[in-house]
Amino acid sequence: MITKQKYIEYLINTPINYTCFNLSEHLDNVSHDVVSNFLKRNRIRARDIWELVKDLIKNTPDSYLIIDDSVHNKQYSKSIELVKKQYSGAVGGLVRGIGVVNLVHSDGTEHYPIDYRIYDTTADGKTKNDHFRDMLINAIANKGIRAKTVLFDSWYAAWENLKLVNTLKLTFYTTLKSNRLVSVTKEGGYVHLEDIDWTPERLKAGVVVKLKKVPFKVKLFKLVAKNGDIDWLITNELDDNLTTQVARKANDVRWQVEQFHREIKQLTGSEKCQCRKARSQRNHLACCYQAWVSLKVKATAWKTNLYQIRKNLFSDYLKAELDNPTVTAYSQV
């Protein structure tokens, strides 16, 4: 028999191979079919991650909700359900994989996933923006999340999403694509972001603009990186005391979701399951989320990071092998 706990502990502790066959090889009286049937026949839900983390987050108005998507790369798969060709920021282009939209809660320092949705239009007909709105409404209405700030990138900066966040009386910070049109004055009409007269005062404090189809004004900031790259950041917070520096600091919290994406892929084998059925892939991913939380809790308790926790799992093995190698170096001397 194989349990969810045993499968999660396998994901945490296996060094490279995440296959059902490898797990069965390392358990007594457990066949490959037993493991594959566990993934195929169970139903581990996305909502389970909330039950796991709801007592770990600092649920305060000063916290943040971060929404972003990630593609779990399956570029060599030919027959795995849920896999489709889609854009991946990790590879900078199209790749075959399983898309997931994540909702991550952060208190500014510690972050935890509280919800996610697998992007599969053939099953539910929903776009990534639909998942954005569903998860956000669910977080406020059903989970009782008190965070007042929502962070997301330009992919989700559609007017429907901006309007929803504003209607929920939340503050958003999001980037815009460089080809977006804005209006600084009614007389001037809509212009490209680069065509705005970026005076020193506007570079410091931003400028209030109007976006097409958005029934309220937003504050626009031009964020210039040291290498010259430019990010166009908007917020519905129009406070005169809100400066570019303060807006940049709030937006920087968004990168915690990128850290989460990197860790779940590198430390839990989220991309490594070879099962073909959609239900198996869904269950595998659900277990990967719970494996990540397990590593996060231990890392927080030990005041270290998830990579160090994972590395330490194999330290005793390496020390033992160096002291008394199972395979010694071959020599003719």
Side-chain angles (χ1 to χ4, degrees):
M1 179 179 178
I2 183 75
T3 63
K4 182 176 76 170
Q5 178 178 344
K6 183 63 67 177
Y7 189 78
I8 292 170
E9 289 169 351
Y10 167 62
L11 297 178
I12 294 171
N13 290 283
T14 183
I16 298 175
N17 192 330
Y18 294 86
T19 63
C20 295
F21 180 78
N22 186 54
L23 174 54
S24 67
E25 287 252 293
H26 291 82
L27 291 175
D28 293 332
N29 302 316
V30 173
S31 67
H32 169 271
D33 288 343
V34 169
V35 181
S36 61
N37 285 339
F38 161 77
L39 289 176
K40 188 187 305 180
R41 295 174 180 174
N42 280 271
R43 189 177 183 85
I44 309 172
R45 305 162 301 176
R47 72 183 68 172
D48 293 346
I49 197 67
W50 168 243
E51 295 299 323
L52 202 62
V53 305
K54 64 182 181 181
D55 294 327
L56 298 174
I57 66 172
K58 295 179 181 178
N59 190 13
T60 69
D62 294 330
S63 54
Y64 303 83
L65 288 175
I66 314 170
I67 304 178
D68 197 12
D69 59 89
S70 177
V71 177
H72 294 265
N73 195 322
K74 302 280 189 180
Q75 61 182 320
Y76 301 113
S77 68
K78 301 298 182 184
S79 307
I80 296 178
E81 297 174 358
L82 299 180
V83 172
K84 61 191 299 184
K85 185 174 287 188
Q86 52 198 298
Y87 180 82
S88 168
V91 301
L94 293 176
V95 67
R96 287 178 55 79
I98 299 175
V100 183
V101 185
N102 290 295
L103 178 61
V104 171
H105 181 281
S106 171
D107 61 11
T109 303
E110 297 292 342
H111 60 278
Y112 290 91
I114 64 172
D115 202 353
Y116 67 91
R117 296 286 187 274
I118 292 178
Y119 174 51
D120 181 21
T121 54
T122 59
D124 55 28
K126 292 188 176 184
T127 67
K128 292 180 180 179
N129 284 304
D130 291 330
H131 291 311
F132 174 106
R133 294 188 285 273
D134 287 349
M135 288 195 295
L136 185 58
I137 292 172
N138 182 263
I140 304 302
N142 299 326
K143 293 184 172 67
I145 294 297
R146 301 172 63 200
K148 292 299 183 182
T149 306
V150 186
L151 310 174
F152 46 96
D153 67 15
S154 60
W155 179 275
Y156 296 100
W159 68 270
E160 299 98 328
N161 296 340
L162 301 182
K163 185 177 179 180
L164 172 64
V165 178
N166 196 68
T167 300
L168 293 172
K169 300 187 183 308
L170 303 176
T171 298
F172 62 73
Y173 288 88
T174 182
T175 52
L176 294 179
K177 294 181 179 179
S178 59
N179 62 354
R180 198 78 174 256
L181 296 175
V182 299
S183 173
V184 180
T185 64
K186 184 179 293 186
E187 299 75 21
Y190 286 93
V191 298
H192 286 285
L193 301 175
E194 299 92 337
D195 294 334
I196 295 175
D197 181 15
W198 285 98
T199 64
E201 179 59 28
R202 286 175 172 175
L203 287 174
K204 179 181 179 181
V207 57
V208 176
V209 301
K210 180 75 169 59
L211 288 170
K212 282 188 175 182
K213 294 187 177 182
V214 178
F216 52 87
K217 291 187 175 182
V218 298
K219 201 168 190 180
L220 171 68
F221 298 91
K222 182 179 181 179
L223 307 184
V224 183
K226 291 181 180 180
N227 63 0
D229 288 346
I230 296 174
D231 278 330
W232 305 98
L233 180 70
I234 60 168
T235 177
N236 57 339
E237 174 57 72
L238 303 182
D239 192 325
D240 291 338
N241 295 320
L242 180 62
T243 64
T244 299
Q245 183 178 4
V246 175
R248 185 194 296 270
K249 185 176 180 180
N251 185 60
D252 284 347
V253 177
R254 182 169 60 86
W255 293 105
Q256 290 183 0
V257 74
E258 300 294 345
Q259 178 183 341
F260 167 70
H261 290 163
R262 184 169 58 251
E263 290 170 345
I264 196 171
K265 291 178 182 179
Q266 295 179 353
L267 302 178
T268 73
S270 66
E271 299 177 311
K272 306 298 184 181
C273 180
Q274 299 177 5
C275 296
R276 294 186 177 185
K277 292 297 182 181
R279 174 47 52 194
S280 299
Q281 290 292 335
R282 289 178 181 274
N283 286 335
H284 171 76
L285 283 171
C287 288
C288 288
Y289 277 76
Q290 296 187 36
W292 182 93
V293 172
S294 303
L295 290 168
K296 176 70 172 181
V297 168
K298 187 65 71 174
T300 300
W302 289 0
K303 295 181 171 55
T304 184
N305 60 65
L306 279 71
Y307 289 95
Q308 191 62 48
I309 292 293
R310 194 73 167 19
K311 179 182 177 181
N312 290 343
L313 293 176
F314 310 111
S315 292
D316 290 342
Y317 161 77
L318 181 57
K319 290 177 182 177
E321 283 298 311
L322 291 175
D323 289 339
N324 186 25
T326 300
V327 179
T328 58
Y330 176 74
S331 175
Q332 292 180 324
V333 179

